[in-house]
Every structure is written in structure tokens, then in C-alpha cells.
Amino acid sequence: MTTKLAFIGFGGVGQALAEIVLERKEMLENQHHLDVSVVAVADMMKGSVYHPDGLDISKLLSCVRENGSVETYPEDGRTITGWTNTETIIHSNADVIVEVTYTDVKTGEPAITHCRTAFKNKKSVITTNKGPVALAYEELSELAKAKGVFFGFEGTVMSGTPALRMPKTTLLGNEIKEIKGILNGTTNYMITEMEKGLSYQEALEKAQQLGYAEADPTSDVEGYDARYKTAILSNYVMGVPISHKEVGCEGISGLTVDDVQSALNQGQKYRLLARITRRNGSVEASVKPERIAQDDPLAGVTGATNAIVYECDLAGSIMLTGAGAGLKETGYSLLIDLIHFNQQRILAKT
Ligand code: HSE
């Protein structure tokens, strides 16, 4: 059975997923019984195209890269161009909406509306946008459940490093007492550069040059990006719904090279740590710079790498480390969701 995708947003992450499904076509079919067809793309800047029988992914990528528009896709009489995002979600025959629009994480829009519209129309959603899961998880997950559709968002925390699904699928049977982690690559990179002697400003400029920091780095350096991810971990992994506003938040903008060097001289390192601790059916959550011993495994995490530790009552302390951003890695996170969508569909039919 073919899985039909509609991309809402077709920037770097969407294109990365399209490339992966093109390159891994045989492997996905042979190993995962996943036969993917891209039926639609709708993007605010690149236009939209729909074909009920599927589009040729190579041609689609060429159109975007050569012309900056998917509306130059070859016409065959049944091709439709010019649909809005909403028309594409409602009227296309897609099974799965790949929601990768440019979304304002403060409001979660337009991604939240796209997810809601898809679920109401009995379409599944996979997304890398943090807004829908940090701001509207309860509403959207309940709506998806009521409509019998799938909601996948692995890439919202640590991109393709499976920080969400690993504890939910392979650490089953444990109670997770605490989660702590380095969830923002920009700030970890900056702190490790300050450990080498760079000033805060020099470290920030380097992070921006390397493309780690957001265009406006406020969300990174003030801890807001990590705070959204903390809310997602609490909502999904800990099963305790909290708003990002309930997560105490302090970034690294007050940290100087002298603070970092003085910690080093005392056998410690600063890390911007997200921490969620279970307390009598509730959780306490914070994001703040913490001084940790140099032999703490999290102190060994340097550069833009992310890491997360799950304190489990049976398995003990489990640490997962890997990329927290990157086009290929984030595109891959969508593939993880897609394979799980397909596995659930196969199970439901047996
Ligand atoms: N700017 C973010 C980071 C990207 O530095 O980790 C991933 O959310």
C-alpha cells in the first residue's frame, strides 16, 4: 500500500526528506514495506503543485533548485498548481501531511492550524516544528487520537537523535525519575569556545557564522529554544502536561569567559542544562547554566552536539548523545516518524 505525502513547506528540511525517500526507495520498500509517493508540495515562497497519482521527486527537486518554484513542474492535464496550504491539506489525497513550514515558535503558527486542519480531515501529520507540541500538545494529540490518525514529531527535540521515541519504546517498564540534557547546540558550542578562551561575543559570532544560531540568536542564548524542548519532553516522555511558561528559564547571556574559566580552574564546567524532575505526580522543570564536575558525562559533550540523560528506576542512568540540528539529521527524524506511521498502519490491518 502506498503512503501518499503532502509537504506543507518545502525548505531545506522538507527537501532533505524528499531526497532520503528517493535515495532509499528500495530499502524502504524491502525492509519496511514502505512505498512512498509525494502527491503535493505547498510552500509560501515556492508555490504549490498536486498530482493525485504522485509527482516525480527528482523533477520536483530540480524545479525548486533551478527555478525556485514547484509550479514549473511539467503539466499533464491532471496537475493542479496554485492551491493554498489549507486547500492542499483538505483536498489532496495525501495520507500524511509533512508539516515543515516556517513557523513562529512563540505562537506555534501556522503549524498548529495546519495540524488541526489535517486531523479534522483525518490526515496524519509528521512535523519538526516545536510549536504544536510545546504549545498545543494536549489538544492536538487528543484530536489525532479521536480521528484515528498519527501525530509524529520526533525531530522537535534533538533532530534525528531519537530523544523522544527511544525512552518511550525501548526503556519501557522503567519509571523515569528525571531527565536532564544539553538541548541547544548553539549555546553548548559557545560555552566550549569560551572554555578555549574566546569572549562571549566572539563565541556568538562564530556560532552564527557556522549557522548554528538562529538568525536572531535570542531564542538560543536566553534558553527559550531549550525551554520549548523541555516542555515537549515533559508532555510526551514524562506524560505530565506543562506549558513552556512553567519551565524556569535562564540563558547564558549573563555568562562571561571569566565565569567559564574560573569553573574550569575548580575542576568544573558550565553547561546550559534542561532538567525535568518528577515530584509526587507532577514535575519541576528548568533551563539554566549549571556547574557540573569535569568527569560528569555531560561535561564531555562539546561543540554543537546535544545530549540527554534519562534517570530510570530499573535501568539506571541512560545517556543519548548526537546531533541536535542539521538538514539531513532533521529530514531523517521525519523518516523515523514515517516508518512508525507505516508500522502502525500495517499492524492495524492485521
Ligand atoms: N538553534 C538550535 C540549536 C537549532 O542551536 O540547537 C535546533 O533547534
Side-chain angles (χ1 to χ4, degrees):
M1 184 181 199
T2 304
T3 297
K4 296 188 278 304
L5 306 186
F7 283 84
I8 305 300
F10 203 52
V13 171
Q15 291 175 44
L17 175 65
E19 259 174 18
I20 294 170
V21 297
L22 181 65
E23 284 164 9
R24 305 239 156 156
K25 187 172 171 49
E26 265 184 39
M27 184 260 235
L28 294 173
E29 285 179 13
N30 296 341
Q31 292 182 21
H32 301 289
H33 310 290
L34 176 61
D35 172 21
V36 177
S37 165
V38 175
V39 293
V41 169
D43 183 285
M44 290 290 282
M45 309 299 288
K46 302 176 184 82
S48 74
V49 60
Y50 168 64
H51 195 297
D53 298 336
L55 301 157
D56 180 312
I57 298 175
S58 305
K59 283 186 194 156
L60 204 49
L61 289 168
S62 301
C63 288
V64 171
R65 285 164 192 173
E66 285 158 26
N67 315 313
S69 168
V70 295
E71 299 199 355
T72 54
Y73 187 88
E75 161 73 36
D76 78 349
R78 292 176 70 212
T79 322
I80 298 175
T81 53
W83 271 355
T84 61
N85 290 346
T86 308
E87 284 169 331
T88 303
I89 295 169
I90 296 174
H91 301 305
S92 74
N93 62 356
D95 308 297
V96 180
I97 303 300
V98 184
E99 209 296 335
V100 282
T101 55
Y102 181 77
T103 280
D104 178 358
V105 71
K106 286 191 203 121
T107 61
E109 293 297 353
I112 291 177
T113 301
H114 291 156
C115 292
R116 197 182 283 131
T117 307
F119 295 150
K120 282 185 178 163
N121 286 276
K122 295 201 171 172
K123 289 185 166 110
S124 294
V125 173
I126 60 176
T127 186
T128 56
N129 269 317
K130 291 182 273 284
V133 200
L135 275 54
Y137 177 68
E138 269 188 294
E139 179 214 324
L140 293 175
S141 59
E142 276 166 23
L143 183 58
K145 202 171 159 193
K147 296 289 181 181
V149 292
F150 180 89
F151 185 25
F153 42 83
E154 182 64 66
T156 56
V157 180
M158 288 173 69
S159 67
T161 308
L164 298 179
R165 203 168 261 113
M166 195 212 52
K168 292 284 277 189
T169 57
T170 52
L171 293 177
L172 290 177
N174 284 287
E175 185 180 23
I176 298 177
K177 303 277 188 197
E178 185 178 62
I179 298 177
K180 62 184 176 196
I182 296 167
L183 304 180
N184 180 269
T186 301
T187 45
N188 205 56
Y189 174 82
M190 287 173 65
I191 294 171
T192 50
E193 286 302 297
M194 286 155 81
E195 285 167 357
K196 295 180 202 159
L198 258 63
S199 70
Y200 176 91
Q201 198 52 40
E202 287 166 339
L204 175 58
E205 278 162 22
K206 247 180 121 176
Q208 284 176 307
Q209 280 160 15
L210 290 165
Y212 299 145
E214 308 286 327
D216 172 5
T218 313
S219 184
D220 295 305
V221 297
E222 297 301 346
Y224 307 148
D225 173 68
R227 181 164 72 160
Y228 288 118
K229 293 168 182 167
T230 305
I232 294 171
L233 285 162
S234 184
N235 288 336
Y236 183 66
V237 179
M238 295 293 236
V240 180
I242 57 168
S243 153
H244 65 287
K245 290 181 189 148
E246 295 170 69
V247 180
C249 183
E250 182 190 335
I252 65 159
S253 58
L255 209 60
T256 64
V257 63
D258 289 344
D259 296 329
V260 172
Q261 295 291 329
S262 144
L264 278 183
N265 292 335
Q266 291 167 39
Q268 293 181 320
K269 284 187 175 183
Y270 270 101
R271 289 291 178 262
L272 182 66
L273 289 191
R275 204 180 268 276
I276 310 163
T277 312
R278 223 180 259 288
R279 297 238 189 275
N280 310 322
S282 178
V283 291
E284 273 173 22
S286 65
V287 171
K288 59 176 192 279
E290 293 191 30
R291 280 170 75 139
I292 54 176
Q294 282 191 26
D295 60 2
D296 185 311
L298 287 172
V301 178
T302 58
T305 305
N306 285 196
I308 189 162
V309 176
Y310 308 92
E311 297 294 348
C312 305
D313 62 346
L314 299 176
S317 182
I318 305 272
M319 178 160 139
L320 176 69
T321 182
L327 295 181
K328 189 162 73 171
E329 294 84 347
T330 313
Y332 168 63
S333 74
L334 292 164
L335 181 69
I336 308 179
D337 285 333
L338 202 51
I339 292 173
H340 279 268
F341 160 83
N342 194 50
Q343 283 176 352
Q344 284 192 11
R345 191 153 76 160
I346 292 168
L347 267 179
K349 289 199 184 300
T350 53

